[in-house]
Amino acid sequence: GPSWRLFTGDSTTVASLMDRFDINYEVSRRDTLESGTITYSMSHTDKALLIDADGRVLESYGGSASPAEQIAGDIRDVL
């Protein structure tokens, strides 16, 4: 399947950002492929944030349940 890399960094930086944005996360599954490659899945808070160029949180949404029209409107308002 596809390999997504959505957020990366050293563990200290990731932990700091997740704490700042009140996002809980944990490794939920680890696997070793036949090739020996180790893979894992993460469970995390279902949240979407609108963050400005200065790193300020402008809006916080309920993640995948948030109406796309509302988020798009908020983005237009910021632009």
Side-chain angles (χ1 to χ4, degrees), residues 55-67:
R56 293 180 298 225
V57 175
L58 303 177
E59 297 289 342
S60 179
Y61 308 98
S64 58
S66 299

Side-chain angles (χ1 to χ4, degrees), residues 1-78:
S3 178
W4 295 4
R5 200 173 275 187
L6 303 175
F7 185 81
T8 64
D10 63 78
S11 59
T12 301
T13 301
V14 171
S16 175
L17 283 170
M18 295 300 100
D19 186 52
R20 176 178 171 198
F21 296 133
D22 194 29
I23 296 174
N24 299 313
Y25 66 100
E26 67 180 341
V27 174
S28 57
R29 187 183 76 223
R30 295 181 193 272
D31 293 310
T32 303
L33 304 177
E34 288 182 21
S35 65
T37 301
I38 297 172
T39 64
Y40 63 93
S41 296
M42 297 290 295
S43 294
H44 56 81
T45 304
D46 187 18
K47 179 187 280 191
L49 301 170
L50 178 58
I51 302 171
D52 71 9
D54 296 320
R56 293 180 298 225
V57 175
L58 303 177
E59 297 289 342
S60 179
Y61 308 98
S64 58
S66 299
E69 300 81 22
Q70 176 188 358
I71 296 171
D74 291 344
I75 292 170
R76 281 191 296 274
D77 290 346
V78 172

